[in-house]
Amino acid sequence: MYTYQPHPDVTVFNDQAEIPGLGFLPVNAFLLHAAQPVVLDTGLGLPDRDFVETLSAVIDPADVRWIWLTHPDRDHTGGVYNLLDAAPNAKVVTTFAGVGILGTERPLPLDRVYLLNPGQVLDVGDRQLTGFRPPLFDNPATVGVYDNKSGACFSSDCFGGPLSSAEFASSDSIAAVPAEEVRGAQLLWASVDSPWVHGVDRTRFDASFEPLRRFDPTWIFSVHLPPVSDAFDTMLQTLRAAPDTPEFVGPDQAALEAMLASFEPV
């Protein structure tokens, strides 16, 4: 896991997942250096990852006050239970649906939960964090975060995309990736991660951008893309094209067997 700080208020914990045939998908978690420190998502749930150890190089986990899960998929919740043990004063910010989904693996202690819906605000001492529903999402419990002090928008899966190399996936700025690759990756990811977008009502879809337009963020931190600054309008224009892109169809069994047959025996 690669750690860097693109903004004075935000540390990024970057990981990635290689997706055969698609590329390298960044998987980011974040620390917001607020008066009451906030961890946003907790990385991949793989056995060789230790999110708490990585976090400890930046902050004493005992100082963390909030663990905001933008949604309870396993690429967002890998370290959440260990972090709860290491951060005894922290509460998990999620939704009613999020608590239910997490409970199918390991129930959260309800006295460690803070329920927050899109449109509601969390005061973390020196700033307010507003929850919002991103225009694209793959989980009903998704709630993005806008920080009114730094201008940072934490968009969960929205704006993400698989990139062509591990180096691009670990970039500390989207400026390091060719613009056409970014656009293609985002449109592909929209089709893979939010397939419902192809049948959406265009008027309602365009209206779903309104919370982001009101925020007018200066930074976009997607779990699945390097950080973006000063390119908000471009990001929105790319998303507006998502309903018109070809629907993603994944490999079938014949393709899987051909792939397996091409592997060298060990």
Side-chain angles (χ1 to χ4, degrees), residues 52-116:
V52 172
E53 181 180 6
T54 302
L55 178 69
S56 297
V58 179
I59 187 175
D60 183 343
D63 292 335
V64 173
R65 290 289 306 277
W66 303 97
I67 306 166
W68 191 310
L69 298 179
T70 64
H71 65 280
D73 285 352
R74 288 297 287 147
D75 55 338
H76 298 251
T77 65
V80 65
Y81 296 105
N82 288 340
L83 182 54
L84 274 173
D85 292 339
N89 297 315
K91 288 194 173 186
V92 176
V93 183
T94 185
T95 66
F96 178 77
V99 171
I101 293 168
L102 285 163
T104 63
E105 177 186 359
R106 177 179 164 187
L108 288 171
L110 293 181
D111 63 337
R112 304 288 303 275
V113 168
Y114 188 96
L115 294 181
L116 185 142

Side-chain angles (χ1 to χ4, degrees), residues 87-263:
N89 297 315
K91 288 194 173 186
V92 176
V93 183
T94 185
T95 66
F96 178 77
V99 171
I101 293 168
L102 285 163
T104 63
E105 177 186 359
R106 177 179 164 187
L108 288 171
L110 293 181
D111 63 337
R112 304 288 303 275
V113 168
Y114 188 96
L115 294 181
L116 185 142
N117 294 316
Q120 295 182 320
V121 175
L122 178 68
D123 191 313
V124 295
D126 62 341
R127 68 196 70 203
Q128 292 188 323
L129 307 182
T130 302
F132 70 99
R133 174 60 57 84
L136 293 176
F137 56 90
D138 71 344
N139 186 300
T142 300
V143 181
V145 185
Y146 174 69
D147 171 14
N148 73 330
K149 183 176 181 180
S150 68
C153 170
F154 300 89
S155 63
S156 193
D157 285 6
C158 189
F159 299 111
L163 302 174
S164 61
S165 71
E167 290 74 22
F168 283 159
S170 61
S171 299
D172 58 10
S173 170
I174 199 61
V177 186
E180 281 307 304
E181 175 167 340
V182 174
R183 175 179 168 81
Q186 290 179 316
L187 293 177
L188 172 61
W189 185 243
S191 185
V192 172
D193 198 52
S194 305
W196 51 263
V197 76
H198 298 292
V200 76
D201 178 282
R202 289 303 299 260
T203 300
R204 295 185 65 182
F205 183 59
D206 286 347
S208 73
F209 293 12
E210 192 53 36
L212 281 170
R213 290 194 180 99
R214 288 199 304 270
F215 296 147
D216 192 23
T218 53
W219 285 81
I220 297 173
F221 293 100
S222 171
V223 171
H224 299 309
L225 201 73
V228 177
S229 63
D230 301 323
F232 176 57
D233 290 341
T234 300
M235 298 291 109
L236 283 190
Q237 287 303 314
T238 297
L239 288 198
R240 289 193 73 249
D244 302 320
T245 58
E247 295 187 31
F248 174 77
V249 179
D252 59 12
Q253 182 61 22
L256 175 59
E257 291 177 2
M259 184 192 315
L260 293 174
S262 71
F263 290 165

Side-chain angles (χ1 to χ4, degrees), residues 4-35:
Y4 60 94
Q5 191 168 355
H7 184 284
D9 288 355
V10 180
T11 294
V12 179
F13 305 99
N14 168 257
D15 206 339
Q16 56 188 263
E18 185 176 2
I19 304 176
L22 295 185
F24 296 82
L25 184 68
V27 181
N28 300 316
F30 308 97
L31 172 64
L32 181 64
H33 298 271

